[in-house]
């Protein structure tokens, strides 16, 4: 057993060194720690927002957009034009003759188009396309989507007559499900007020 005045031995020195090795890291003030957390959170949020902004929105086809358009209201002038032209530009070449679609749209037609429809054989009727025979042989049907354009049409100058720009998209659907988008078109539709309501009386 060593006396109090004896110098410390090797074991005592090891204990002293070990105690020095347990020195704790300096503690940061609370406000500094909170600041670091807030800065890290802000950086993370900014990074996420930037990444989201750079992600392009998925493309949507015109036909898909048109399918989402609400059904036209047949009690309104533009709704009548849309409903009639959608029927007129929907074709079944395998089972119908050219111009038959005008007959399918009869309930939406005004006096001028009804005269065209009821005219004797040989009178001019809408001629949809030169591809009609090929489509009929291949069993192709043509679906149409029509919608009222936001562009103003010429003013007819008559409260009983209105004109609208109507956009029309057509898709040729083959028996195997293949779909072919046809060139879009826009027509000026003339709608007249009749005792039965608004009716499509012409388009060009």
């Amino acid at each position: 057993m060593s006396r109090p005045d004896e110098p410390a031995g090797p074991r005592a020195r090891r204990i002293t060194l070990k105690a020095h090795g347990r020195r704790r890291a300096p503690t940061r003030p609370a406000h500094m720690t909170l600041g670091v957390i807030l800065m890290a959170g802000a950086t993370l949020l900014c990074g996420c927002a930037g990444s989201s902004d750079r992600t392009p929105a998925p493309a949507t086809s015109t036909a898909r957009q048109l399918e989402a358009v609400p059904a036209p209201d047949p009690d309104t002038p533009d709704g009548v034009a849309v409903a009639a032209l959608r029927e007129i530009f929907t074709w079944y070449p395998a089972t119908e003759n050219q111009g038959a679609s005008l007959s399918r749209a009869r309930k939406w037609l005004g006096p001028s188009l009804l005269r065209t429809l009821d005219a004797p054989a040989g009178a001019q009727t809408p001629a949809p396309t030169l591809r009609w025979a090929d489509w009929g042989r291949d069993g192709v049907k043509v679906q149409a989507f029509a919608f009222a354009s936001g562009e103003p049409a010429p003013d007819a100058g008559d409260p009983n007559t209105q004109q609208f720009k109507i956009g029309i998209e057509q898709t040729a659907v083959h028996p195997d499900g293949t779909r072919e988008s046809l060139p879009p078109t826009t027509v000026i539709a003339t709608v007249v007020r009749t005792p039965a309501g608004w009716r499509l009386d012409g388009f060009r």
Side-chain angles (χ1 to χ4, degrees):
M1 183 174 181
S2 61
R3 293 190 300 274
D5 55 346
E6 285 182 352
R11 185 172 182 274
R13 283 196 298 272
R14 285 198 300 272
I15 294 174
T16 302
L17 292 174
K18 191 173 183 181
H20 285 302
R22 292 178 181 173
R23 183 178 302 168
R24 298 178 62 185
T27 304
R28 293 179 179 176
H31 69 276
M32 290 181 62
T33 303
L34 179 60
V36 171
I37 294 174
L38 291 177
M39 289 176 63
T43 302
L44 180 60
L45 289 175
C46 291
C48 292
S51 175
S52 177
D53 292 343
R54 290 192 298 270
T55 302
T60 304
S61 66
T62 303
R64 192 178 299 275
Q65 291 176 358
L66 291 173
E67 288 173 354
V69 174
D73 182 356
D75 293 329
T76 61
D78 57 336
V80 166
V82 168
L85 289 168
R86 182 177 58 189
E87 194 69 39
I88 291 170
F89 282 84
T90 295
W91 303 329
Y92 302 97
T95 58
E96 293 182 346
N97 296 322
Q98 295 195 49
S101 61
L102 193 64
S103 179
R104 281 192 275 107
R106 185 183 187 95
K107 64 180 179 180
W108 289 299
L109 302 184
S112 296
L113 285 179
L114 285 175
R115 283 194 295 270
T116 298
L117 181 62
D118 296 335
Q124 184 178 2
T125 57
T129 178
L130 297 176
R131 299 177 63 185
W132 191 273
D134 294 336
W135 282 340
R137 183 186 63 250
D138 297 338
V140 174
K141 62 182 178 180
V142 178
Q143 297 176 342
F145 297 95
F147 58 97
S149 170
E151 299 181 15
D155 186 0
D158 181 354
N160 294 317
T161 302
Q162 296 191 33
Q163 291 186 319
F164 302 94
K165 284 189 176 182
I166 306 297
I168 301 168
E169 296 276 349
Q170 291 176 294
T171 303
V173 183
H174 294 256
D176 63 358
T178 303
R179 301 173 69 87
E180 173 192 356
S181 295
L182 305 180
T185 186
T186 301
V187 302
I188 303 296
T190 300
V191 182
V192 298
R193 193 195 304 271
T194 72
W198 291 99
R199 295 293 183 266
L200 177 69
D201 205 41
F203 58 94
R204 53 181 169 79

